[in-house]
Amino acid sequence: MSHIATSTFFRCVAIACLAITSTVNAAPAVPKWSLLPRPATASPAGSGAAEIADGAVVSVRGAERQQVQSMAERFVQRVADTNGLHLRVATTGASHSAITFDVNPSADIADEAGYRITVDNGGILVSARTPRGAFYGSVTLWQLLTPPGWTRGAPVEVADGVIDDRPRFAWRALLLDSGRHYQSVADIKKLIDWMSLHKLNVLLWHLTEDQGWRLEIPKYPDLTKIGACRKAMGLDSELTGSADLPYCGFYTEAEARDIVRYAAERYVDVVPEIDLPGHSQAAIAAYPWLGVTGKRPSVWTDWGVSPWLLKPDEKTLQFVDDVLDEVMRVFPSRYISIGGDEADKQQWNASPEVRAQMHKLGLANMDQLQGWFTNQVAAHLIKHARTPVGWDDELVAGATLPASEVVMSWHGNDNERVALAAIKQGHDVVMTPQESLYFDHYQSALPDEWPGPPPAATLRQAYDTVVIPNGASAIEAQRIIGVQGGLWTEQMPTFAHDQHAVFPRIAALSELGWSPSSAHDWNGFLQRMPAELARYRALGIDYADSAFAPTFHVTATANGAFQIELSNQLAFGTIRYTTDGSDPTKQSAPYAQPLTLPGSATLRAATFAPDGFELAASRTQVLNETTLLSRESSALATCSSQPGTRLDGSRPAQGPRPVYSVDIGNTCWLWSQAPMDGITHVEMTVERMTWRFGDEAADAVVHHKASAAGEFEIHADSCTGPLLASLPLESAVQANGQIHLDAKVATPAGAGVRNLCVFATGDPRDGQWALARMAFSK
Ligand code: ACM
C-alpha cells in the first residue's frame, strides 16, 4: 500500500512500489469513488490517494476482536475473489497496516450500524461502534477497491477523504418465496451474501404456500411428508426429471438453523413467514382437519389465490401455536410474519360452522373474523416477546390488525393510501409496492426478456418507489421502518431466474433502504451502475442486462433497404454495432443516428459504459426479405390490450429456452399494420402450455373450434374479419415443446397494410397455446 502524492510511507509494503513512484511524478488524476448505496456523507479530499496492492496488511483493533477478525477475513477473501488482490490479515496488532478496522462502542459514530472510513496518509481506517457497523464499512471499502474499470490483481488507488455513513431505514429486506419453487441451501446462502453486499439486513423467508409447505415441523410430520410435494405440472417435470416424479422440497430444522447462522454472520436477520389463514392448501392437504370442508385437497399445482383457508377454530389455533413455537425455536428474529394476504373467504362463507362462530363472536363479517383469528395468533407471538408482521390486505378490507403488527404494504396503486391508513392506526410499515418492488414482474419489453407477470417493473420504477406516502406528516413518516423487494417465484423455477429477477433491481432497493432521501439521484445512480455491474460479474451473479440492452426498430426504405433505430430502455451508455456478424467490442462503431443497411445484412449491437465495460451483451437483428414479414409474440399486442405474461417454454434439446408473451386465458394477438401485399404462405411456431392459472380460469375466452383439435386462425381487420388462414392443431396437441405449423394464406382483397387478429380456437383451460413467432412469405 502506498500513499500517492502526499506520502510514500507505505511504499515498500508492496512490490508495485516502483510503478507508484513514477505515477507520483506524473501527478495522476485522483480516482473517483463509485459507491452503491450512496453513503450518507462522502467528502473526498480532492487530492491524494492511498494505494492498496498485493500483500497489503489488514489489521483489527478495539472491541469484539474475534467477530471483527472473522469479518476482516471474509473481506480479504472477497477482495481476492473479485479483484484478485491478496491482502493479508495481521494476527497481532500490526504497526504498518494499510487498512485498519477499529470497533469502539463509544466512538463518535451516529448509528450503531454506521461507520466512518478515513483515507489519508495514515492509511485507511474503518471505525464503527459495533461489528455490524464495521461490516458495512468493509462493504464500502470493498467497493472502493473495485472502482470503475479496475484491473484484476493490479494495485488500486483509493482517493483520500472521509465517508460517514449510516442506514436510513432499519428494515432493508428481500422476500424470498420458497413455496412456489424452493431454492437449495447453498443458493440461499449466496443470495444472503449478495444481499449483505447491498447492505440489506432482512430476509423475509416465505416458507409456506398452497403449492408447498417447506419447513420441517417435528410435531406435524405430514406438513413436509405430504405438504412439501406437489404433482409435477408443466415445467416442474423438467426439475424432477419426469412428469411421474412429484416436485418436493423442504428445509430441515438443521438447515434452517444453518441459514440463520450464516445470515447472522452477514448481519441479515431471517424473518420467517408462516402464511395464515390463506395460502394454506398444502397444510390442509397434510391435515384435512385444518380446513373447513373436512376434505383433503391436493397440494396445489396452479398459481393464483386458492380458496382453501384454515378453519378459524380452537384446534387450528392450537396447531398454529405449536408451529410458531417451533418457528420461534429455530428463528431468533424479533419479527415473525404471519402473512394474512389473499384470504379468499368463499369456504368460510359457505360453512354454517364458520358463520355460527362469526356470530358467536359478535363479528359483522368474515374480514372481521380473519382479524379475530390474526389477533389470536399474534397474541401467542407477543406473549413470547416477538413482534408479528403481516400483509396489508385486512386493512384494505377494513378489518383491524393486532396493534403491534408491522404491516407490509404491497397493495399496488393503493399502496400509499393503505400505508398511510396503517400508519394512522399506529402500525409500523414496510413499503413493498407490487408495481415497483415485486421483482417477479418482468423488467423490459425485450424479445428475450425472462418470464414474469405484467406489467413491467423497470429498474427506474424500482428506483422511483415512493417510500414515504404522500400526505404523511414528519411524525407519521417515522412509522415507515423500511422497504422490501419481493422475489415471488411462480415463474422462477431456477436460481438463474432468481438472479435475473433480483439483479440489478436490488441495487435500487439498496439505495432506497440505506441512503438518505437527500442522496436520491437517478442520474448519479446510473453513473454508479457500471462499477456495480462489474462487481456482479466478478461475484458470478447472473444479472439482467435488460435495462441497458439494445433494441432494434426496423423500417423499410423505398429502395428495398432498411432503416434501423437503436435504443435502450435507459438511454444510457454507448451502443456499438457491427454489420459483419462479429460480436461488437468497445472499439466498434458507436451508434449515433439511424442506420441504413442493405436488404441482406446481420446487425449486432451491444452497450458499453464510458470505461469500456460491456453493460449489455450483444443482440442480433438479421435483415432479409422476411424481417418485416415476421413477428415474435413479444412484438404483438394482446387482444385484450393488457400486456402479456411472459412464460417460459420447455427447454429445447439445443439453444436457449424460449419465452412467450401470452395473455393467459385469452389466446389472441393483434398485429397492427402487417404488410400483406403478395403474401401467400404463413408459418407459425407455437407451444402448448400446461394450464395452471387459477386466477384466470373464470375469465377464459373460448373461441369456437372448427375441428376437434382446434386451430390457429388469422383474420384481417378484426377478430371477426375475413379468415386469411387456418392452421390445424391436430398434429400438435400431443407434441412436447415447440411445433411448426404452416398454411396457405388467402390474401385479403386489396391486400396492402392490414391489421391482423390471430387466435387459437378451443378452451385455453385445456392447454393454453403460446405463440413464439409467425412469419409470412410471398
Ligand atoms: C402478496 O403479494 N400476496 C403479499
Side-chain angles (χ1 to χ4, degrees), residues 175 180 273 275 279 341-342 391 393 410 434 438 488:
L175 172 143
R180 274 55 175 258
E273 176 160 88
D275 207 343
H279 292 287
D341 59 320
E342 298 181 318
W391 298 101
D393 298 51
W410 70 282
Q434 176 173 21
Y438 269 27
W488 300 98

Side-chain angles (χ1 to χ4, degrees), residues 495-777:
F495 194 53
H497 285 77
D498 297 334
Q499 292 173 71
H500 182 93
V502 170
F503 301 90
R505 288 181 288 189
I506 193 174
L509 176 69
S510 159
E511 193 139 314
L512 290 173
W514 182 275
S515 307
S517 59
S518 59
H520 197 76
D521 166 21
W522 168 250
N523 285 324
F525 174 79
L526 257 188
Q527 300 301 326
R528 286 174 283 126
M529 279 310 288
E532 187 68 0
L533 296 181
R535 290 178 197 122
Y536 291 172
R537 197 174 287 175
L539 288 163
I541 298 175
D542 253 339
Y543 62 89
D545 65 3
S546 313
F548 306 94
T551 54
F552 306 88
H553 180 65
V554 184
T555 47
T557 64
N559 56 4
F562 294 102
Q563 189 179 70
I564 306 102
E565 287 173 51
L566 298 177
S567 58
N568 66 15
Q569 189 185 81
L570 295 177
F572 181 74
T574 302
I575 298 177
R576 296 180 183 273
Y577 67 93
T578 63
T579 53
D580 61 2
S582 65
D583 219 12
T585 68
K586 59 186 175 186
Q587 273 88 36
S588 299
Y591 173 81
Q593 58 191 41
L595 307 171
T596 302
L597 292 173
S600 178
T602 297
L603 176 63
R604 299 189 70 179
T607 311
F608 294 85
D611 65 4
F613 177 78
E614 190 183 73
L615 290 166
S618 70
R619 305 298 202 274
T620 302
Q621 173 71 60
V622 175
L623 299 163
N624 58 31
E625 66 281 359
T626 70
T627 301
L628 296 176
L629 302 182
S630 60
R631 284 280 169 98
E632 302 198 9
S633 57
S634 60
L636 298 173
T638 67
C639 295
S640 64
S641 321
Q642 298 302 313
T645 296
R646 291 200 165 234
L647 294 177
D648 264 339
S650 17
R651 183 179 289 289
Q654 276 160 355
R657 180 194 287 278
V659 58
Y660 308 116
S661 177
V662 177
D663 187 2
I664 292 172
N666 187 5
T667 317
C668 186
W669 294 264
L670 299 174
W671 181 340
S672 140
Q673 306 277 296
M676 296 305 289
D677 273 336
I679 296 300
T680 59
H681 276 84
V682 65
E683 284 183 13
M684 296 179 78
T685 305
V686 300
E687 179 174 350
R688 197 177 208 209
M689 318 296 288
T690 305
W691 179 268
R692 56 187 314 189
F693 310 108
D695 286 352
E696 288 83 359
D699 296 325
V701 177
V702 181
H703 292 275
H704 173 71
K705 282 199 278 192
S707 62
E711 50 279 308
F712 263 92
E713 291 186 3
I714 304 174
H715 294 256
D717 307 328
S718 76
C719 297
T720 52
L723 178 67
L724 302 186
S726 175
L727 298 93
L729 290 165
E730 207 155 12
S731 61
V733 279
Q734 299 303 338
N736 283 327
Q738 288 193 337
I739 48 157
H740 303 284
L741 308 171
D742 64 83
K744 282 205 168 96
V745 175
T747 314
V753 165
R754 306 292 279 267
N755 293 334
L756 303 180
C757 171
V758 182
F759 58 81
T761 63
D763 189 334
R765 290 165 294 197
D766 298 333
Q768 158 115 21
W769 289 98
L771 171 62
R773 184 169 186 274
M774 56 187 292
F776 290 108
S777 54

Side-chain angles (χ1 to χ4, degrees), residues 347-364:
Q347 288 190 348
W348 282 11
N349 278 317
S351 159
E353 212 182 329
V354 176
R355 282 206 310 275
Q357 194 196 3
M358 182 187 91
H359 289 129
K360 196 172 99 197
L361 291 166
L363 302 172

Side-chain angles (χ1 to χ4, degrees), residues 147-168:
W150 90 82
T151 307
R152 200 174 158 80
V156 178
E157 291 168 22
V158 181
D160 282 3
V162 179
I163 294 165
D164 241 313
D165 202 9
R166 55 180 296 184
R168 178 180 185 191

